[in-house]
Amino acid sequence: MKKSHVTRFSCRVAVAFLLFFISQAFSHPGDEHKLEHLNSQITQQPYSQIAHIQRASLYTRTGNYTLAKKDFIAAKTLGETYRVSYELGVYYFKTEDYTLAINQFDNYLKHFSDYYPALEYRAKTYIKIGDTKKAFEDFSRFLENSPYTNPGHYIAVAKIALSEDGREDQIGDAITIIDAGISQTGNSPQLQSFAVGLEISRGFFDQAVTRHQSLREITSASPRWHIEMAEILVKSEQWAKAHDHLNHSEMKLAQYKKTPAREKLSLRIEKMQQHVSKNYDVDKGSLNH
């Protein structure tokens, strides 16, 4: 094979490999199309800062950090550097350079103080470096400003409250945060289940039962809901009620087709029934001594 043919063949192989790499990297629907659009835009408008920032952000999201960095460097020369700071902060967060990430988020928030995505990311970055006080402050501001909060955000803030030693009532503060989340996002199993665990940890079993009871309709009183209620009742030594809920769970489960997940639930019921029977005589309706 002639040298020119070898060169052309090598180029074709390299291009094919690059296209394969890009197709694998941009596996999210729409990513390839978005990249093509940005490539075309940058070709037509090579001095567009926003196009370079958007492409760098896309590269960051898909893990192409080398290409992202090149676009960030270019974007910094095409306009005010602070406009690059938010996406660059995300880049440093993803690459685990948390000090530089915080610096970039600081710079962006100096100009857009209530930009909630930057507040959320900076809070997450503070958690990574163990600065729970600043993380709590940022998350609190984020919850005040963001129209797109979800249960996970409130649980993250509640966990921070639980981790701070200086608080007089860590659990009480965490529950207050969770209840604020329920007020804002609705009565979700995720939030109430977290709160149930907190109520149990401080021995407030009646509150735990009430919270779990509020999920009855949402969960259609599923076998799992009955099991979880039984677990609360066992912890508060309400053996008869726990026994009843386990029976309800078992009867409901028997109506469904068997699956590995349901088999696990059956084993869970069986174990709990054994535990209850050691402490409670079902036939006599009295405690075992």
Side-chain angles (χ1 to χ4, degrees):
M1 189 181 288
K2 292 181 179 179
K3 186 174 181 181
S4 61
H5 291 164
V6 171
T7 302
R8 285 198 295 271
F9 176 75
S10 299
C11 287
R12 285 199 295 271
V13 170
V15 170
F17 177 79
L18 180 60
L19 290 173
F20 172 77
F21 172 79
I22 290 173
S23 69
Q24 295 300 306
F26 293 91
S27 57
H28 189 276
D31 282 348
E32 278 187 80
H33 176 73
K34 186 178 286 186
L35 178 63
E36 289 174 6
H37 173 72
L38 288 169
N39 286 342
S40 174
Q41 188 176 349
I42 289 170
T43 299
Q44 295 172 31
Q45 303 174 37
Y47 302 110
S48 170
Q49 185 187 46
I50 186 63
H52 279 88
I53 294 172
Q54 288 175 344
R55 191 169 69 176
S57 178
L58 179 60
Y59 282 140
T60 298
R61 183 164 60 78
T62 54
N64 295 310
Y65 299 125
T66 301
L67 295 177
K69 192 170 185 179
K70 288 180 180 178
D71 268 340
F72 281 128
I73 291 170
K76 280 187 170 184
T77 67
L78 298 172
E80 297 285 353
T81 57
Y82 72 84
R83 296 190 180 278
V84 184
S85 295
Y86 168 65
E87 284 82 0
L88 187 54
V90 175
Y91 164 85
Y92 284 129
F93 179 87
K94 298 279 189 182
T95 56
E96 300 182 359
D97 198 333
Y98 300 124
T99 301
L100 288 178
I102 288 172
N103 289 341
Q104 293 301 322
F105 294 134
D106 286 348
N107 190 32
Y108 197 79
L109 288 164
K110 283 177 185 176
H111 296 84
F112 307 101
S113 60
D114 292 327
Y115 185 63
Y116 60 87
L119 287 168
E120 181 184 13
Y121 256 112
R122 192 171 68 177
K124 290 178 180 178
T125 312
Y126 279 133
I127 288 174
K128 290 289 187 181
I129 64 173
D131 194 335
T132 56
K133 183 179 179 182
K134 288 184 178 178
F136 186 84
E137 290 172 358
D138 272 355
F139 263 128
S140 298
R141 283 176 60 197
F142 165 77
L143 294 177
E144 289 173 6
N145 290 282
S146 173
Y148 304 111
T149 57
N150 62 55
H153 293 131
Y154 290 91
I155 288 174
V157 181
K159 285 181 176 178
I160 295 172
L162 290 169
S163 70
E164 291 186 317
D165 295 332
R167 290 177 176 273
E168 290 183 11
D169 185 6
Q170 293 171 315
I171 295 175
D173 289 347
I175 287 176
T176 298
I177 293 162
I178 294 298
D179 283 338
I182 291 169
S183 175
Q184 290 296 316
T185 66
N187 189 31
S188 74
Q190 190 179 358
L191 288 171
Q192 283 291 17
S193 296
F194 190 86
V196 165
L198 295 177
E199 299 286 19
I200 290 172
S201 70
R202 63 179 182 176
F204 288 15
F205 298 111
D206 289 344
Q207 285 89 328
V209 168
T210 300
R211 286 181 179 279
H212 192 67
Q213 186 68 36
S214 74
L215 300 174
R216 185 184 184 101
E217 289 187 18
I218 296 172
T219 61
S220 301
S222 67
R224 185 181 295 276
W225 179 87
H226 280 288
I227 292 172
E228 290 171 351
M229 180 63 89
E231 287 175 338
I232 299 168
L233 294 166
V234 163
K235 286 184 173 71
S236 59
E237 299 184 354
Q238 299 182 61
W239 306 108
K241 289 181 180 180
H243 172 73
D244 289 343
H245 278 284
L246 289 172
N247 281 346
H248 282 300
S249 180
E250 190 172 36
M251 286 187 290
K252 282 200 166 190
L253 206 56
Q255 298 171 10
Y256 302 146
K257 183 180 178 180
K258 286 188 177 181
T259 64
R262 287 171 185 154
E263 289 286 347
K264 285 183 179 179
L265 281 180
S266 292
L267 290 172
R268 191 169 160 188
I269 293 168
E270 186 180 340
K271 276 189 172 184
M272 289 186 68
Q273 284 174 329
Q274 290 172 358
H275 179 63
V276 170
S277 66
K278 287 179 181 178
N279 295 277
Y280 179 74
D281 189 320
V282 176
D283 295 326
K284 293 180 179 178
S286 61
L287 296 173
N288 289 325
H289 295 289

